[in-house]
């Protein structure tokens, strides 16, 4: 089973994000527990300090109940400026019963405790830190009681202390936010810096493969050395392929050229032998000469096609242009084809006079290839429709048939040299017709469009860009001059 592939860049960004997130979360957990122990430490320190301070303000009434002198409240908390929160200070008995002082709202004498105690208590909805200490009074002049013991308790609301640390929390959140934003920006920059050249490289390789065009070079001026190496390697590979293709084309051209003369001689000899055999009436000889002649004609056809391809491929070869009326070319080519066509095919035309500036022979190749294919791949009784004209900045020649059609997945391959559909191997052909049509259309700034449905037929449209084949005043004059001379 194929493993699902992920984007390398998204993977890196994802992992980096997770690591940063894990770091931030552990920092927050650590900070929370540090703040918690710091809060407890401060509360403990502050509450016991207050107990020590209040001790000297405690007096006893006649009944021996300890109370806090009023002047304690005048100075209360003035020492501790860093702890700006309400501290409750009161006296109580061992069981928690309140004597004097201030207690949180809802206090129900529930604070009990040992000799020295620091704990968290809940009163109603709120939680408090509470510190208590047993106090043994010295003999009070105002009272006779000397052995009574009581508790001094101090309390502070947990939420009051926590608010002091809110600033720290806000700062932490701001830091997390900044880290998050930085990570986001980093992800976008990394994606742009890495993904864009990788996408360009992929698109260039794809289009090179589709169009067999390895001339386009990729440039990379980004900061990543790995990408530069990859792009350099791709450019080097393109150069190598280009050289190999050129060598292959040269080889094809040379071989075809070398074979052209012997094949022509063989063909001529065949005709001569046939004449001799016809004269002597040697039937066996005639039969074998016919086979021989058929094969040499086939070889001649292939060599002609290969030579034509080499000519179209050759950068050195230039084609002279003249005024060509597409209507005239189509009429003359189709007239010949109708004449030699041994199938019952109907021809239908929708032709407008369309004069372009192009090489007549090349336009003839386009029309004859498209029309001969339409005939070849149609069953008897079907119609082949041919039209020409101009639309959306392009001149066109369109050939529509009701033949076997082409499957979608094969439509991109039919323009590759020597491609032949395996279903049509019994029909004559070399797989060089459509590549030639494509090369000629591209030479004139256009392309060939195919619209086909298997079993329903195909429509091929060869396009020529207006700016490449448009007649200008200059070349019209040239043409008129030529006509006068001839
Ligand atoms: P061939 O000499 O084989 O016709 P071409 O280059 O002209 O070579 O065509 C390539 C392939 O495209 C053919 O083998 C055929 O499968 C397919 N093809 C071309 N024209 C048509 C058409 N009009 N209808 C169906 N298939 C076609």
């Amino acid at each position: 089973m194929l493993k699902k592939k992920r984007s390398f860049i998204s993977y890196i960004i994802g992992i980096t994000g997770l690591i940063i997130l894990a770091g931030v979360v552990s920092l927050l957990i650590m900070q929370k527990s540090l703040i918690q122990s710091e809060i407890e430490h401060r509360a403990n320190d502050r509450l016991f300090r207050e107990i020590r301070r209040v001790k000297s303000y405690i007096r006893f009434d006649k009944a021996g109940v300890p109370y806090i002198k009023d002047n304690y409240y005048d100075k209360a908390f003035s020492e501790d400026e860093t702890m700006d929160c309400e501290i409750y200070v009161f006296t109580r008995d061992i069981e928690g019963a309140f004597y004097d002082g201030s207690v949180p709202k809802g206090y129900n004498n529930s604070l009990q405790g040992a000799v020295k105690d620091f704990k968290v208590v809940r009163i109603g909805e709120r939680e408090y830190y509470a510190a208590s200490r047993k106090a043994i009074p010295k003999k009070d002049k105002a009272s006779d009681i000397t052995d009574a013991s009581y508790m001094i308790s101090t309390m502070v609301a947990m939420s009051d202390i926590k608010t002091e640390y809110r600033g720290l929390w806000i700062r932490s959140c701001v830091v997390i936010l900044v880290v998050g934003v930085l990570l986001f920006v980093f992800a976008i920059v990394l994606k742009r810096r890495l993904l864009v050249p990788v996408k360009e490289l992929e698109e260039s390789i794809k289009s090179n493969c589709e169009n067999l065009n390895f001339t386009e070079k990729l440039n990379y001026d980004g900061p990543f050395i790995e990408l530069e190496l990859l792009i350099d390697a791709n450019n080097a590979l393109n150069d190598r392929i280009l050289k190999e293709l050129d060598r292959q084309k040269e080889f094809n051209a040379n071989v075809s050229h070398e074979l052209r003369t012997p094949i022509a001689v063989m063909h001529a000899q065949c005709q001569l032998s046939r004449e001799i055999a016809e004269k002597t009436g040697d039937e066996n000889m005639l039969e074998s000469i016919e086979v021989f002649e058929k094969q040499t004609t086939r070889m001649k056809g292939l060599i002609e096609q290969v030579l034509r391809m080499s000519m179209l491929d050759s950068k050195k070869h230039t084609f002279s242009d003249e005024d060509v009326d597409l209507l005239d070319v189509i009429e003359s080519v189709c007239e010949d084809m109708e004449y030699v066509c041994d199938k019952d095919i109907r021809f239908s035309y929708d032709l407008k006079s369309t004069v372009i500036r192009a090489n007549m022979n090349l336009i003839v190749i386009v029309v004859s290839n498209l029309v001969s294919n339409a005939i070849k791949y149609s069953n008897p009784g079907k119609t082949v429709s041919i039209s020409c004209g101009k639309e959306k900045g392009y001149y066109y020649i369109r050939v529509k048939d009701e033949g076997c059609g082409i499957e979608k997945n094969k439509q991109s391959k039919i323009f590759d040299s020597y491609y032949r559909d395996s279903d049509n191997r019994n029909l004559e052909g070399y797989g060089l017709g459509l590549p030639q049509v494509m090369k000629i259309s591209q030479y004139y700034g256009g392309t060939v469009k195919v619209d086909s449905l298997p079993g329903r037929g195909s429509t091929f449209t060869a396009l020529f860009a207006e700016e490449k084949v448009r007649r200008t005043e200059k070349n019209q004059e040239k043409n008129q001059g030529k006509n006068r001379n001839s």
Side-chain angles (χ1 to χ4, degrees), residues 282-464:
D282 189 337
E283 286 299 318
N284 287 343
M285 188 62 128
L286 261 176
E287 223 172 83
S288 78
I289 289 170
E290 213 166 274
V291 174
F292 196 56
E293 205 176 9
K294 210 172 157 197
Q295 294 308 319
T296 44
T297 312
R298 240 178 91 75
M299 278 165 77
K300 208 169 153 227
L302 173 62
I303 284 162
E304 292 300 332
Q305 294 270 38
V306 175
L307 276 173
R308 206 183 279 166
M309 272 303 271
S310 322
M311 185 180 72
L312 288 171
D313 278 332
S314 163
K315 287 170 197 116
K316 291 170 217 151
H317 199 99
T318 51
F319 299 96
S320 59
D321 290 342
E322 57 194 300
D323 285 353
V324 179
D325 192 340
L326 298 182
L327 180 144
D328 292 341
V329 177
I330 293 171
E331 273 184 352
S332 111
V333 171
C334 291
E335 207 174 286
D336 293 348
M337 292 230 171
E338 277 189 62
Y339 185 71
V340 292
C341 179
D342 49 6
K343 257 191 206 172
D344 172 25
I345 296 284
R346 272 179 7 97
F347 286 80
S348 137
Y349 300 98
D350 173 15
L351 307 173
K352 296 173 199 83
S353 173
T354 311
V355 183
I356 62 170
R357 194 82 197 152
N359 181 284
M360 173 75 86
N361 290 336
L362 295 185
I363 301 301
V364 169
I365 293 173
V366 169
V367 177
S368 53
N369 270 310
L370 293 182
V371 176
S372 65
N373 274 353
I375 298 170
K376 191 160 53 169
Y377 299 107
S378 293
N379 283 330
K382 300 291 182 188
T383 304
V384 172
S385 314
I386 305 131
S387 54
C388 68
K390 188 182 153 197
E391 61 187 16
K392 294 177 192 158
Y394 286 93
Y395 292 96
Y396 69 88
I397 296 170
R398 185 168 292 137
V399 179
K400 181 172 181 290
D401 64 54
E402 299 166 351
C404 60
I406 308 159
E407 286 166 38
K408 194 99 205 138
N409 61 336
K410 292 177 180 166
Q411 286 178 16
S412 58
K413 298 181 188 159
I414 56 177
F415 297 101
D416 293 349
S417 299
Y418 303 104
Y419 172 81
R420 301 210 65 216
D421 188 350
S422 48
D423 296 348
N424 300 323
R425 291 245 179 248
N426 52 333
L427 296 171
E428 218 167 87
Y430 312 105
L432 287 172
L434 287 181
Q436 281 175 31
V437 177
M438 180 60 97
K439 274 191 197 312
I440 295 168
S441 295
Q442 286 173 343
Y443 179 76
Y444 290 118
T447 185
V448 184
K449 286 193 172 160
V450 56
D451 183 12
S452 183
L453 270 181
R456 302 286 291 276
S458 316
T459 303
F460 282 88
T461 310
L463 297 167
F464 312 110

Side-chain angles (χ1 to χ4, degrees), residues 166-190:
R166 192 160 290 153
L168 194 61
W169 271 109
I170 290 171
R171 279 199 294 280
S172 306
C173 291
V174 170
V175 168
I176 292 169
L177 204 74
V178 170
V179 169
V181 170
L182 282 180
L183 181 68
F184 186 69
V185 172
F186 165 75
I188 289 181
V189 171
L190 195 69

Side-chain angles (χ1 to χ4, degrees), residues 155-168:
M155 287 172 86
V156 64
M158 232 181 205
S159 56
D160 281 357
I161 299 189
K162 278 186 179 164
T163 41
E164 290 187 24
Y165 288 88
R166 192 160 290 153
L168 194 61

